[in-house]
Amino acid sequence: MRLRTPLALLGAAVLVLVGPPLLTAGSGSETGTQIPGLRFMVPNTPGGGYDITARTAAKNAEDAELTHNIEVFNLPGAGGTVGLSRLVSEHGNGKLAMSMGLGVVGAVRSNDAPKTLGDTTPIARLTEEQDVVVVAKDSPYKTIDDLIGAWKKNPGKLPVGGGSSPGGPDHLAPMLMARAAGIPPKQVNYIPFDGGGELLASILGNKVAFGVSGVGEYLDQIKAGELRLLAVTGPERVEGLDAPTLKEAGYDVNFTNWRGIVAPPGLTDGERDKLVRLLEELHGSDEWRKSLEQNGWDDAFLTGEKFGAFLDAEDKRVVSVLKELGL
Protein backbone atom coordinates (compact mmCIF):
# COMPACT_ATOMS: atom_id res chain seq x y z
CA MET A 1 0.00 0.00 0.00
CA ARG A 2 2.95 2.32 0.66
CA LEU A 3 4.01 2.18 -3.02
CA ARG A 4 0.65 3.47 -4.31
CA THR A 5 0.82 6.80 -2.51
CA PRO A 6 3.90 8.21 -4.32
CA LEU A 7 2.58 6.91 -7.66
CA ALA A 8 -0.74 8.65 -7.10
CA LEU A 9 1.06 11.87 -6.18
CA LEU A 10 3.22 11.60 -9.31
CA GLY A 11 0.10 11.13 -11.47
CA ALA A 12 -1.54 14.18 -9.94
CA ALA A 13 1.58 16.23 -10.56
CA VAL A 14 1.65 15.18 -14.22
CA LEU A 15 -2.00 16.20 -14.64
CA VAL A 16 -1.29 19.60 -13.15
CA LEU A 17 1.63 20.12 -15.51
CA VAL A 18 -0.16 18.85 -18.61
CA GLY A 19 -3.60 20.35 -17.96
CA PRO A 20 -3.10 24.14 -18.32
CA PRO A 21 -1.42 24.14 -21.79
CA LEU A 22 -4.56 22.49 -23.23
CA LEU A 23 -6.40 25.78 -22.66
CA THR A 24 -4.56 27.70 -25.36
CA ALA A 25 -5.21 31.29 -26.36
CA GLY A 26 -7.95 31.56 -28.95
CA SER A 27 -9.46 28.16 -28.10
CA GLY A 28 -12.70 29.76 -26.90
CA SER A 29 -12.28 28.15 -23.48
CA GLU A 30 -11.36 31.33 -21.60
CA THR A 31 -14.21 33.38 -23.06
CA GLY A 32 -16.81 30.60 -22.86
CA THR A 33 -17.68 30.63 -26.55
CA GLN A 34 -17.50 26.89 -27.24
CA ILE A 35 -21.00 25.59 -28.09
CA PRO A 36 -20.72 21.92 -29.13
CA GLY A 37 -23.36 20.94 -31.68
CA LEU A 38 -24.23 24.54 -32.67
CA ARG A 39 -26.35 24.80 -35.84
CA PHE A 40 -27.10 27.85 -38.00
CA MET A 41 -30.37 27.74 -39.91
CA VAL A 42 -30.65 29.68 -43.18
CA PRO A 43 -34.31 30.45 -43.99
CA ASN A 44 -33.79 30.73 -47.75
CA THR A 45 -31.95 28.96 -50.57
CA PRO A 46 -28.16 28.59 -50.94
CA GLY A 47 -26.35 31.57 -52.42
CA GLY A 48 -28.54 34.26 -50.85
CA GLY A 49 -27.52 36.90 -48.33
CA TYR A 50 -28.61 34.96 -45.25
CA ASP A 51 -26.74 31.91 -46.55
CA ILE A 52 -23.52 33.82 -47.26
CA THR A 53 -23.71 35.56 -43.88
CA ALA A 54 -24.28 32.33 -41.93
CA ARG A 55 -21.56 30.36 -43.72
CA THR A 56 -19.07 33.21 -43.42
CA ALA A 57 -19.79 33.65 -39.70
CA ALA A 58 -19.48 29.90 -39.10
CA LYS A 59 -16.16 29.61 -40.94
CA ASN A 60 -14.72 32.73 -39.30
CA ALA A 61 -15.72 31.50 -35.82
CA GLU A 62 -14.06 28.16 -36.49
CA ASP A 63 -10.92 29.74 -37.99
CA ALA A 64 -10.66 31.99 -34.92
CA GLU A 65 -11.08 28.87 -32.72
CA LEU A 66 -14.07 30.36 -30.93
CA THR A 67 -16.09 27.19 -31.43
CA HIS A 68 -15.94 24.17 -33.73
CA ASN A 69 -17.99 22.22 -36.27
CA ILE A 70 -20.91 24.61 -36.73
CA GLU A 71 -23.49 23.01 -39.01
CA VAL A 72 -25.17 25.36 -41.51
CA PHE A 73 -28.39 24.14 -43.13
CA ASN A 74 -31.06 25.66 -45.37
CA LEU A 75 -34.80 25.60 -44.72
CA PRO A 76 -36.32 27.91 -47.37
CA GLY A 77 -39.92 28.93 -47.86
CA ALA A 78 -42.32 31.88 -47.72
CA GLY A 79 -39.63 34.54 -47.53
CA GLY A 80 -38.04 33.06 -44.42
CA THR A 81 -41.20 32.49 -42.38
CA VAL A 82 -41.00 28.68 -42.75
CA GLY A 83 -37.61 28.80 -41.06
CA LEU A 84 -38.91 31.26 -38.49
CA SER A 85 -41.74 28.89 -37.52
CA ARG A 86 -39.25 26.06 -37.13
CA LEU A 87 -37.00 28.23 -34.97
CA VAL A 88 -39.85 29.25 -32.66
CA SER A 89 -40.92 25.60 -32.31
CA GLU A 90 -37.44 24.74 -30.99
CA HIS A 91 -38.27 26.28 -27.60
CA GLY A 92 -35.29 26.24 -25.24
CA ASN A 93 -32.78 24.96 -27.82
CA GLY A 94 -29.58 26.86 -27.06
CA LYS A 95 -27.70 25.12 -29.86
CA LEU A 96 -29.75 26.57 -32.72
CA ALA A 97 -29.64 30.06 -34.25
CA MET A 98 -31.04 31.56 -37.45
CA SER A 99 -29.53 33.99 -39.93
CA MET A 100 -32.08 36.66 -40.86
CA GLY A 101 -32.63 40.31 -41.75
CA LEU A 102 -35.05 42.92 -43.01
CA GLY A 103 -36.47 40.41 -45.51
CA VAL A 104 -37.91 38.24 -42.74
CA VAL A 105 -39.43 41.32 -41.07
CA GLY A 106 -41.25 42.10 -44.34
CA ALA A 107 -42.21 38.48 -45.04
CA VAL A 108 -43.89 38.17 -41.65
CA ARG A 109 -46.12 41.10 -42.62
CA SER A 110 -46.78 40.17 -46.26
CA ASN A 111 -47.50 36.51 -45.45
CA ASP A 112 -49.48 37.27 -42.28
CA ALA A 113 -47.25 34.70 -40.57
CA PRO A 114 -48.46 33.18 -37.28
CA LYS A 115 -44.99 33.55 -35.72
CA THR A 116 -43.05 36.81 -35.60
CA LEU A 117 -39.55 37.89 -34.65
CA GLY A 118 -41.05 38.99 -31.36
CA ASP A 119 -41.34 35.27 -30.56
CA THR A 120 -37.56 34.74 -30.88
CA THR A 121 -34.56 35.52 -28.70
CA PRO A 122 -32.61 38.41 -30.31
CA ILE A 123 -28.88 37.72 -30.36
CA ALA A 124 -27.08 40.20 -32.62
CA ARG A 125 -27.29 42.43 -35.66
CA LEU A 126 -24.11 41.85 -37.65
CA THR A 127 -24.00 43.81 -40.88
CA GLU A 128 -25.54 46.51 -42.99
CA GLU A 129 -25.19 46.67 -46.77
CA GLN A 130 -26.45 48.48 -49.80
CA ASP A 131 -28.60 46.92 -52.46
CA VAL A 132 -27.38 46.90 -56.05
CA VAL A 133 -29.38 47.44 -59.25
CA VAL A 134 -28.05 44.95 -61.81
CA VAL A 135 -28.79 43.65 -65.31
CA ALA A 136 -27.32 40.83 -67.40
CA LYS A 137 -24.11 41.65 -69.31
CA ASP A 138 -26.02 41.58 -72.64
CA SER A 139 -28.86 43.83 -71.41
CA PRO A 140 -29.73 46.84 -73.58
CA TYR A 141 -29.61 49.05 -70.47
CA LYS A 142 -26.14 50.53 -70.11
CA THR A 143 -26.93 53.11 -67.41
CA ILE A 144 -29.47 53.65 -64.66
CA ASP A 145 -31.05 56.42 -66.76
CA ASP A 146 -31.45 53.99 -69.70
CA LEU A 147 -33.24 51.54 -67.43
CA ILE A 148 -35.52 54.02 -65.70
CA GLY A 149 -36.36 55.73 -69.01
CA ALA A 150 -37.65 52.41 -70.41
CA TRP A 151 -39.30 51.54 -67.09
CA LYS A 152 -41.29 54.77 -67.04
CA LYS A 153 -42.66 54.13 -70.54
CA ASN A 154 -44.19 50.79 -69.56
CA PRO A 155 -43.70 49.76 -65.91
CA GLY A 156 -45.69 46.53 -66.18
CA LYS A 157 -43.61 45.17 -69.08
CA LEU A 158 -40.27 45.52 -67.30
CA PRO A 159 -40.35 42.96 -64.49
CA VAL A 160 -37.97 43.55 -61.60
CA GLY A 161 -36.76 40.60 -59.56
CA GLY A 162 -35.78 40.62 -55.91
CA GLY A 163 -34.59 38.04 -53.44
CA SER A 164 -37.23 38.79 -50.83
CA SER A 165 -40.99 38.75 -50.35
CA PRO A 166 -43.06 41.94 -50.54
CA GLY A 167 -42.06 44.12 -47.61
CA GLY A 168 -38.47 42.88 -47.72
CA PRO A 169 -35.43 44.92 -48.78
CA ASP A 170 -35.30 43.76 -52.39
CA HIS A 171 -38.97 44.74 -52.75
CA LEU A 172 -38.85 48.05 -50.89
CA ALA A 173 -35.76 49.32 -52.76
CA PRO A 174 -37.27 49.16 -56.30
CA MET A 175 -40.58 50.51 -54.99
CA LEU A 176 -38.77 53.52 -53.58
CA MET A 177 -36.87 53.80 -56.89
CA ALA A 178 -40.16 53.77 -58.79
CA ARG A 179 -41.66 56.49 -56.63
CA ALA A 180 -38.54 58.64 -57.03
CA ALA A 181 -38.79 58.22 -60.82
CA GLY A 182 -42.48 59.14 -60.91
CA ILE A 183 -43.75 55.58 -61.44
CA PRO A 184 -46.73 54.58 -59.25
CA PRO A 185 -45.45 51.69 -57.07
CA LYS A 186 -48.68 49.75 -57.67
CA GLN A 187 -47.76 49.56 -61.37
CA VAL A 188 -44.42 47.89 -60.70
CA ASN A 189 -44.21 44.25 -61.83
CA TYR A 190 -42.22 42.82 -58.94
CA ILE A 191 -41.29 39.13 -59.02
CA PRO A 192 -40.11 37.71 -55.68
CA PHE A 193 -37.53 34.95 -55.39
CA ASP A 194 -36.54 33.00 -52.29
CA GLY A 195 -33.09 34.53 -51.97
CA GLY A 196 -30.46 36.03 -54.23
CA GLY A 197 -29.30 32.61 -55.44
CA GLU A 198 -32.63 31.90 -57.16
CA LEU A 199 -32.85 35.44 -58.50
CA LEU A 200 -29.42 35.29 -60.15
CA ALA A 201 -30.44 32.67 -62.73
CA SER A 202 -33.43 34.78 -63.80
CA ILE A 203 -31.30 37.91 -64.25
CA LEU A 204 -28.66 36.06 -66.26
CA GLY A 205 -31.40 34.39 -68.34
CA ASN A 206 -33.12 37.75 -69.00
CA LYS A 207 -36.33 36.49 -67.39
CA VAL A 208 -36.48 39.78 -65.49
CA ALA A 209 -35.45 43.16 -66.90
CA PHE A 210 -33.33 43.92 -63.85
CA GLY A 211 -32.67 42.68 -60.35
CA VAL A 212 -32.18 44.23 -56.93
CA SER A 213 -30.20 42.41 -54.24
CA GLY A 214 -27.44 42.84 -51.69
CA VAL A 215 -23.99 43.91 -52.86
CA GLY A 216 -22.31 40.96 -51.13
CA GLU A 217 -24.46 38.44 -52.97
CA TYR A 218 -23.42 39.55 -56.46
CA LEU A 219 -19.97 41.02 -55.93
CA ASP A 220 -18.21 38.11 -57.67
CA GLN A 221 -20.56 38.17 -60.69
CA ILE A 222 -20.19 41.95 -61.03
CA LYS A 223 -16.40 41.78 -60.90
CA ALA A 224 -16.41 38.86 -63.37
CA GLY A 225 -18.51 40.87 -65.83
CA GLU A 226 -21.49 38.50 -65.75
CA LEU A 227 -23.68 41.24 -64.31
CA ARG A 228 -23.66 44.94 -65.19
CA LEU A 229 -23.99 47.18 -62.14
CA LEU A 230 -26.11 50.27 -62.81
CA ALA A 231 -26.46 51.84 -59.35
CA VAL A 232 -26.28 51.29 -55.60
CA THR A 233 -29.08 52.23 -53.21
CA GLY A 234 -27.16 53.62 -50.23
CA PRO A 235 -25.71 57.01 -49.31
CA GLU A 236 -22.23 56.47 -50.80
CA ARG A 237 -20.60 54.62 -53.68
CA VAL A 238 -19.29 51.15 -52.88
CA GLU A 239 -15.51 51.14 -52.86
CA GLY A 240 -14.09 49.22 -55.80
CA LEU A 241 -17.31 49.32 -57.84
CA ASP A 242 -17.91 51.75 -60.70
CA ALA A 243 -21.52 52.78 -60.22
CA PRO A 244 -23.31 55.86 -58.89
CA THR A 245 -25.69 56.00 -55.97
CA LEU A 246 -29.33 56.46 -56.95
CA LYS A 247 -29.27 59.87 -55.29
CA GLU A 248 -26.19 60.86 -57.27
CA ALA A 249 -28.02 59.80 -60.46
CA GLY A 250 -30.92 62.10 -59.59
CA TYR A 251 -33.31 59.71 -57.83
CA ASP A 252 -34.04 60.53 -54.19
CA VAL A 253 -33.46 57.10 -52.64
CA ASN A 254 -31.25 56.18 -49.69
CA PHE A 255 -31.83 52.57 -48.69
CA THR A 256 -29.75 49.92 -46.91
CA ASN A 257 -30.37 46.37 -45.71
CA TRP A 258 -29.11 44.61 -42.57
CA ARG A 259 -28.64 41.05 -41.33
CA GLY A 260 -28.40 39.41 -37.93
CA ILE A 261 -28.91 36.32 -35.78
CA VAL A 262 -31.86 35.25 -33.63
CA ALA A 263 -32.39 32.13 -31.52
CA PRO A 264 -35.40 30.15 -30.27
CA PRO A 265 -37.53 31.41 -27.38
CA GLY A 266 -37.17 29.99 -23.89
CA LEU A 267 -33.38 30.10 -23.61
CA THR A 268 -31.82 30.40 -20.17
CA ASP A 269 -29.86 33.57 -19.48
CA GLY A 270 -26.68 31.50 -19.69
CA GLU A 271 -27.54 30.05 -23.10
CA ARG A 272 -28.46 33.45 -24.50
CA ASP A 273 -25.35 35.10 -23.06
CA LYS A 274 -23.12 32.39 -24.52
CA LEU A 275 -24.49 32.97 -28.04
CA VAL A 276 -24.07 36.73 -27.61
CA ARG A 277 -20.52 36.24 -26.31
CA LEU A 278 -19.65 34.04 -29.29
CA LEU A 279 -20.77 36.75 -31.71
CA GLU A 280 -19.03 39.48 -29.70
CA GLU A 281 -15.77 37.54 -29.97
CA LEU A 282 -16.44 36.89 -33.67
CA HIS A 283 -17.06 40.61 -34.21
CA GLY A 284 -13.68 41.43 -32.72
CA SER A 285 -11.76 38.85 -34.75
CA ASP A 286 -9.43 39.57 -37.66
CA GLU A 287 -11.21 36.88 -39.66
CA TRP A 288 -14.56 38.68 -39.45
CA ARG A 289 -13.09 42.08 -40.24
CA LYS A 290 -11.55 40.68 -43.43
CA SER A 291 -14.90 39.17 -44.41
CA LEU A 292 -16.66 42.51 -43.91
CA GLU A 293 -14.23 44.12 -46.34
CA GLN A 294 -14.32 41.30 -48.89
CA ASN A 295 -18.13 41.21 -49.02
CA GLY A 296 -18.72 44.96 -49.05
CA TRP A 297 -20.55 44.74 -45.71
CA ASP A 298 -20.66 47.61 -43.21
CA ASP A 299 -20.20 46.83 -39.53
CA ALA A 300 -23.55 47.28 -37.74
CA PHE A 301 -22.99 45.27 -34.57
CA LEU A 302 -25.74 45.41 -31.96
CA THR A 303 -26.64 42.79 -29.36
CA GLY A 304 -29.29 41.57 -26.96
CA GLU A 305 -32.04 43.91 -25.80
CA LYS A 306 -30.87 46.77 -28.02
CA PHE A 307 -31.15 44.47 -31.04
CA GLY A 308 -34.62 43.43 -29.82
CA ALA A 309 -35.71 47.09 -29.70
CA PHE A 310 -34.28 47.58 -33.20
CA LEU A 311 -36.32 44.61 -34.52
CA ASP A 312 -39.49 46.14 -33.10
CA ALA A 313 -38.69 49.50 -34.71
CA GLU A 314 -37.98 47.82 -38.08
CA ASP A 315 -41.37 46.10 -38.02
CA LYS A 316 -43.04 49.48 -37.54
CA ARG A 317 -40.88 50.98 -40.33
CA VAL A 318 -41.90 48.29 -42.84
CA VAL A 319 -45.59 48.86 -42.09
CA SER A 320 -45.11 52.62 -42.43
CA VAL A 321 -43.24 52.43 -45.75
CA LEU A 322 -45.73 50.00 -47.29
CA LYS A 323 -48.58 52.28 -46.25
CA GLU A 324 -46.73 55.33 -47.58
CA LEU A 325 -46.21 53.59 -50.93
CA GLY A 326 -49.86 52.59 -51.09
CA LEU A 327 -48.99 48.89 -50.92
Side-chain angles (χ1 to χ4, degrees):
M1 294 296 293
R2 290 179 181 177
L3 290 174
R4 297 184 63 176
T5 302
L7 287 173
L9 290 171
L10 178 61
V14 169
L15 285 174
V16 168
L17 290 171
V18 172
L22 295 177
L23 300 177
T24 57
S27 70
S29 300
E30 307 90 334
T31 54
T33 59
Q34 294 285 349
I35 307 176
L38 178 60
R39 306 175 78 210
F40 280 168
M41 183 199 303
V42 177
N44 62 8
T45 53
Y50 301 150
D51 187 69
I52 295 170
T53 302
R55 294 182 190 279
T56 300
K59 184 177 187 307
N60 288 172
E62 291 174 1
D63 289 348
E65 298 187 359
L66 299 175
T67 192
H68 299 284
N69 301 320
I70 302 174
E71 179 191 349
V72 181
F73 69 100
N74 299 76
L75 185 63
T81 56
V82 170
L84 176 61
S85 292
R86 163 72 181 277
L87 186 81
V88 174
S89 74
E90 295 273 347
H91 190 277
N93 185 352
K95 296 180 182 294
L96 179 66
M98 186 177 84
S99 175
M100 48 71 71
L102 181 56
V104 176
V105 178
V108 166
R109 286 291 176 180
S110 61
N111 294 320
D112 196 22
K115 303 299 181 183
T116 74
L117 289 165
D119 297 315
T120 70
T121 300
I123 302 300
R125 185 183 68 189
L126 297 176
T127 64
E128 186 177 43
E129 71 170 342
Q130 303 198 40
D131 267 0
V132 291
V133 182
V134 292
V135 295
K137 63 181 179 182
D138 57 351
S139 168
Y141 310 117
K142 309 293 185 186
T143 68
I144 189 66
D145 285 334
D146 289 345
L147 172 65
I148 289 184
W151 199 20
K152 288 175 74 172
K153 289 178 182 176
N154 202 331
K157 287 195 175 179
L158 262 72
V160 50
S164 58
S165 296
D170 301 349
H171 170 252
L172 293 177
M175 294 300 165
L176 292 168
M177 276 175 57
R179 185 183 66 174
I183 300 168
K186 285 186 176 180
Q187 292 182 17
V188 173
N189 181 8
Y190 177 76
I191 300 176
F193 293 84
D194 206 352
E198 282 191 0
L199 170 62
L200 179 61
S202 288
I203 301 172
L204 294 175
N206 292 306
K207 293 180 180 176
V208 293
F210 66 104
V212 177
S213 194
V215 61
E217 294 173 73
Y218 292 159
L219 203 54
D220 290 343
Q221 290 80 9
I222 291 168
K223 289 184 175 179
E226 296 174 14
L227 293 175
R228 181 182 300 143
L229 175 61
L230 301 184
V232 296
T233 65
E236 298 177 353
R237 289 189 176 214
V238 175
E239 188 176 349
L241 297 180
D242 184 20
T245 66
L246 286 170
K247 199 154 192 176
E248 184 183 342
Y251 306 99
D252 191 12
V253 176
N254 182 353
F255 182 86
T256 55
N257 184 21
W258 56 268
R259 296 193 180 94
I261 300 288
V262 293
L267 268 57
T268 65
D269 289 348
E271 289 170 328
R272 180 201 61 210
D273 292 348
K274 197 160 194 176
L275 282 167
V276 170
R277 192 157 54 243
L278 170 62
L279 293 176
E280 285 175 340
E281 293 293 321
L282 172 68
H283 173 251
S285 70
D286 290 338
E287 289 82 357
W288 181 248
R289 295 192 182 281
K290 289 176 185 174
S291 292
L292 289 175
E293 185 177 347
Q294 288 169 357
N295 288 289
W297 294 337
D298 293 323
D299 187 2
F301 196 65
L302 191 68
T303 61
E305 292 180 2
K306 290 182 179 179
F307 180 41
F310 172 79
L311 289 177
D312 185 55
E314 285 295 274
D315 180 53
K316 291 180 173 66
R317 181 168 78 103
V318 166
V319 173
S320 174
V321 171
L322 289 174
K323 189 177 293 185
E324 183 184 336
L325 293 170
L327 301 170

